[in-house]
């Protein structure tokens, strides 16, 4: 946004400086955050193993509508796309998802 070269990993993931304004969809972020907590609990892993905070922010800023767009977000590797992609896309589309991957 500001034209500064991105050097920090978190900034590169977000594709903007930490200080630049975000156009994040707060509602999507909150739903993703809650979903991630449920996933982590079900998997018995820390939440960052599902997706990091920066990845959730990047998703909430992009609000992808298909798998190709979601795959283009840093931190969404093939394994996570396969495992969590349907849930993430459903949340971005405004659907509520439960921790086990089923629609509510």
């Amino acid at each position: 946004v500001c034209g500064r070269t991105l050097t920090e990993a978190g900034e590169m993931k977000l594709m903007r400086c930490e200080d630049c304004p975000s156009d994040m969809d707060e509602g999507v972020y909150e739903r993703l955050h809650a979903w991630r907590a449920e996933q982590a609990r079900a998997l018995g892993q820390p939440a960052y193993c599902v997706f990091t905070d920066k990845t959730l922010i990047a998703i909430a800023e992009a609000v992808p509508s298909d798998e190709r767009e979601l795959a283009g977000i840093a931190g969404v590797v093939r394994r996570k796309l396969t495992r969590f992609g349907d849930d993430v896309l459903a949340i971005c589309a405004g659907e509520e998802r439960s921790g086990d991957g089923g629609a509510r």
Side-chain angles (χ1 to χ4, degrees):
V1 176
C2 67
R4 185 176 71 81
T5 301
L6 304 177
T7 57
E8 300 293 321
E11 292 176 340
M12 289 188 274
K13 185 173 279 192
L14 293 175
M15 298 301 296
R16 65 174 173 78
C17 298
E18 294 280 346
D19 296 331
C20 285
S22 170
D23 57 352
M24 179 175 66
D25 183 317
E26 294 285 340
V28 169
Y29 178 77
E30 289 173 14
R31 291 189 303 276
L32 286 168
H33 198 269
W35 166 84
R36 180 185 69 172
E38 290 179 28
Q39 287 292 319
R41 205 170 12 262
L43 295 169
Q45 296 180 335
Y48 68 83
C49 289
V50 177
F51 287 115
T52 65
D53 288 342
K54 295 274 196 255
T55 301
L56 290 186
I57 291 168
I59 293 169
E61 286 179 347
V63 191
S65 60
D66 61 33
E67 189 174 291
R68 182 187 55 76
E69 291 176 1
L70 182 57
I73 296 171
V76 182
V77 295
R78 171 61 51 194
R79 179 179 54 81
K80 291 185 180 189
L81 183 63
T82 300
R83 189 170 199 177
F84 304 122
D86 289 343
D87 280 358
V88 171
L89 290 171
I91 291 166
C92 288
E95 299 173 27
E96 291 296 320
R97 304 296 280 193
S98 67
D100 63 2
R104 269 196 239 173

